[in-house]
Every structure is written in structure tokens, then in C-alpha cells.
Amino acid sequence: MKNKKRKLNVKRCFLLGVPVVAVVCVCTAVILLGIGIEKEPGDTSEQISEQVVLSEEPVSSSEKNINSDAESSEEKSEEASSSEEVTEEPSTVSEEELKQARIEEVVAGWETIPAGTVLAEEEVDLSQKSNYFLAYEISDDVYGVINGKSFQEGTEVTLADIRYIKVLHYNFEHKLQVGELIVATALQEDFINIFMELLDAEYEIQTMYLADNYWTGDPTSTDSASIDENNTSAFLYRPATGSSKLSKHAYGRAIDINPQQNPYVSYKSGSPVWSHENANDYIDRTTGLPHVITHDDVCYQIFKKYGFTWGGDWNTIKDYQHFEK
């Protein structure tokens, strides 16, 4: 009887266990199917991982471009930021430094600055005015201008006898202007000192160009052309007016200052005779008009101080523009 009861219990257990196992198996299969993974016999964990990776959706090309553009913008932003950090602040130059630089530029190029150039007061340093009154030997450039004109080869006047000088003067608008002259080597210091004193006195001279700027083909008419333009000049190899003898100008030992206001006038006939119509208002020397040279004029006084004689003191001829030594 006992053996029969045991057999019945085993059968009951077997019958009860089968449904339970079946249920467990079905649930397991459902779970595996639910997560999309079927594990077949022989699968390894690496193969499962590969299936999971492959199940991810691929990135579209538009998304790649957006990501690429975003990265590019970030890189450019970083480069710009880096550039801003590297760029140094431009050095600020003061007005005083700029002024000093221009003054030095003018001084360094003084010999070659064209006559007639007007300079602002900020471009010069009048406390060092000797920088603007200099004498030079005749350079190749100047020789090219004067040869065959104011200077004639083969005469008693050689290049060693004359010097090219640059000066600073006030023009008729009372602006600082560059002037040029050719004078006798022996008198270069006198002329330099005279024009420095004229500058100190703020004496006005309209222009100072070489007579060669008005060359007509012969020296006599060239002198007349220079006078018509009220030009102040010195050296010109020519005879004296109304004479066959050489003028002091031929040696660079004479100068004509503002010839319009200070004309050449002959009184040989008893009445004044002059050649240039631009001088009509200046025959009467008592009008008090500006730039008229008289004994009271500072120009006369300075030239007289350095031993020059004045054409206004001559007898029947009055050459009011003329100083010589």
C-alpha cells in the first residue's frame, strides 16, 4: 500500500510540474520576442551586441551637413576669437610727434625742395632757422638748369665762383615760402645772414626763383621776363642795363628785390622813364605802399649793414630793386 501511495504522489507532482515549466518557457519566449532578440543556439554575447548596434537608425546626410556646419561655425568663431586676442592695439602717435617728423623731413630734403613751396608754420622749427639757410656747390641738377642760360661756359665766371643757396622767406600772403638764389661764393655768408635777418623781420618777398625759370633765349630779355613776374633773383651772366659792361649780376654779386614795387627808373631826361607797366603805381616813392624800399625800409638797412650799396642812391638812374657789393 505504501508503494502505491508513493507512485501516486510522483504522478501528481509530474502532472503539476509540466504546466508550470510550460508556462515559464512560454513567458521566456514572449520576453525574448518582445525585445527583438532571438538567441539561437551557439550565439555569443558579442553577436548580440552587434545585432543591437545594427538596429540603430543611420544618420541622414542632412543631419551630417548640419553637424558639419555647426562644427565649422564653432571653429571659425574660435579662430576669430583667437585673432582678436593676438591682434595688438595700434600704437598711437601724438600730434607733436607727427609735427616733429615733418620738420625733420623738411630739413633732410631742404636742398631739393622746389623753390616756391609754401610751408606751414608747423612744418618748420624757426628756433633752428639756420637749417633753412644753406649754401651748396653747384650740383649736377642745378648745372643742368643753368648751363647755357644764366651760366656760360668759357667765361671768367666758373662754377667754383658761384654757389646755390636755399632760403626761407615770407611771401606777399605772409606765408613761409622756399626761395633759391645763385650768388658769388665770396658773398655766400653775407647773403645767408641777410636773408636770415629778413626772415626775423618778417619781410615779404613775392618769389625767389632762378632767372633761368624765365629763360627766353637771351639774358637781357630773360631778366625783363623775370621782372614782369616780380621775381627776386641774383646771378645772371649779362651786361648791365644800357651798357656793354658786365653787370654785377654776372658775378653773383648783385640782387634785385621785388622789382615791381622797386623799378628801374631813368631821370636822364628830367622826367621818370621806366619799362615795366606793372611798376606804374610805384614810381612815386612817397605813397607808403607796401614793399617799397626806402632808406627807412628794413631791407635797405640790413643790406647796408653788410656793406651793400643801393641802386636807389644813384644819381640820374634809380634802380630801387638793386643791391650790390
Side-chain angles (χ1 to χ4, degrees):
M1 285 295 291
K2 290 183 180 179
N3 289 335
K4 285 182 180 181
K5 287 181 180 180
R6 287 178 183 173
K7 287 179 181 180
L8 286 173
N9 290 335
V10 170
K11 285 180 181 180
R12 287 175 185 171
C13 291
F14 175 77
L15 291 174
L16 290 172
V18 168
V20 172
V21 172
V23 171
V24 172
C25 289
V26 170
C27 291
T28 302
V30 170
I31 292 171
L32 292 174
L33 288 172
I35 63 174
I37 300 176
E38 294 181 4
K39 184 176 180 182
E40 297 181 3
D43 282 347
T44 64
S45 60
E46 292 180 357
Q47 289 172 328
I48 294 172
S49 298
E50 290 176 1
Q51 291 177 2
V52 172
V53 172
L54 290 173
S55 69
E56 295 180 1
E57 294 184 4
V59 179
S60 66
S61 60
S62 61
E63 290 176 339
K64 288 182 178 178
N65 291 336
I66 292 172
N67 293 336
S68 176
D69 291 343
E71 291 176 359
S72 177
S73 298
E74 290 178 2
E75 290 176 359
K76 289 181 179 178
S77 176
E78 289 177 0
E79 289 177 1
S81 176
S82 175
S83 176
E84 291 176 359
E85 292 175 0
V86 172
T87 302
E88 294 182 359
E89 291 270 337
S91 59
T92 55
V93 180
S94 68
E95 289 186 7
E96 188 62 32
E97 289 173 324
L98 289 173
K99 176 184 175 181
Q100 186 60 36
R102 177 54 182 156
I103 289 172
E104 292 173 1
E105 180 183 3
V106 169
V107 171
W110 187 243
E111 182 179 4
T112 58
I113 293 178
T117 299
V118 175
L119 297 172
E121 291 188 2
E122 294 77 18
E123 295 181 283
V124 298
D125 181 3
L126 294 182
S127 69
Q128 302 293 327
K129 64 177 180 289
S130 60
N131 289 329
Y132 311 102
F133 297 87
L134 298 173
Y136 307 92
E137 294 183 0
I138 304 301
S139 67
D140 291 341
D141 289 340
V142 173
Y143 178 75
V145 172
I146 67 175
N147 186 37
K149 298 176 182 176
S150 64
F151 176 77
Q152 300 291 324
E153 289 282 6
T155 70
E156 60 270 47
V157 180
T158 68
L159 291 178
D161 297 323
I162 54 178
R163 289 290 183 268
Y164 176 78
I165 68 173
K166 270 285 181 60
V167 302
L168 190 64
H169 68 93
Y170 285 96
N171 62 20
F172 280 8
E173 295 177 352
H174 210 69
K175 294 181 179 179
L176 292 170
Q177 186 166 297
V178 180
E180 63 181 356
L181 294 169
I182 290 180
V183 302
T185 301
L187 298 179
Q188 60 181 320
E189 291 300 326
D190 284 345
F191 278 107
I192 290 291
N193 290 331
I194 286 168
F195 280 97
M196 286 179 69
E197 292 192 29
L198 287 174
L199 182 76
D200 288 341
E202 299 189 18
Y203 193 83
E204 295 179 341
I205 297 172
Q206 183 164 325
T207 62
M208 294 177 64
Y209 295 107
L210 301 183
D212 307 84
N213 283 32
Y214 308 92
W215 185 252
T216 62
D218 73 88
T220 300
S221 61
T222 293
D223 180 53
S224 181
S226 177
I227 290 171
D228 282 339
E229 297 298 324
N230 198 27
N231 181 60
T232 294
S233 65
F235 176 71
L236 178 59
Y237 192 84
R238 65 174 178 83
T241 303
S243 173
S244 58
K245 295 181 179 180
L246 284 177
S247 165
K248 289 280 189 179
H249 287 284
Y251 302 97
R253 303 184 71 93
I255 187 170
D256 293 337
I257 305 285
N258 293 332
Q260 177 182 350
Q261 291 77 26
N262 303 286
Y264 178 98
V265 184
S266 172
Y267 289 91
K268 287 182 179 180
S269 65
S271 298
V273 177
W274 64 98
S275 301
H276 299 274
E277 292 184 0
N278 65 356
N280 291 351
D281 294 336
Y282 299 96
I283 304 305
D284 180 359
R285 309 305 289 172
T286 63
T287 61
L289 291 172
H291 312 116
V292 170
I293 298 174
T294 65
H295 287 120
D296 295 327
D297 186 64
V298 67
C299 183
Y300 166 82
Q301 294 169 355
I302 292 173
F303 271 98
K304 185 74 173 176
K305 172 183 173 181
Y306 285 90
F308 283 74
T309 58
W310 180 43
D313 285 334
W314 296 348
N315 295 322
T316 57
I317 299 293
K318 299 291 185 180
D319 197 356
Y320 296 111
Q321 65 200 260
H322 184 92
F323 293 93
E324 67 176 44
K325 184 176 180 180

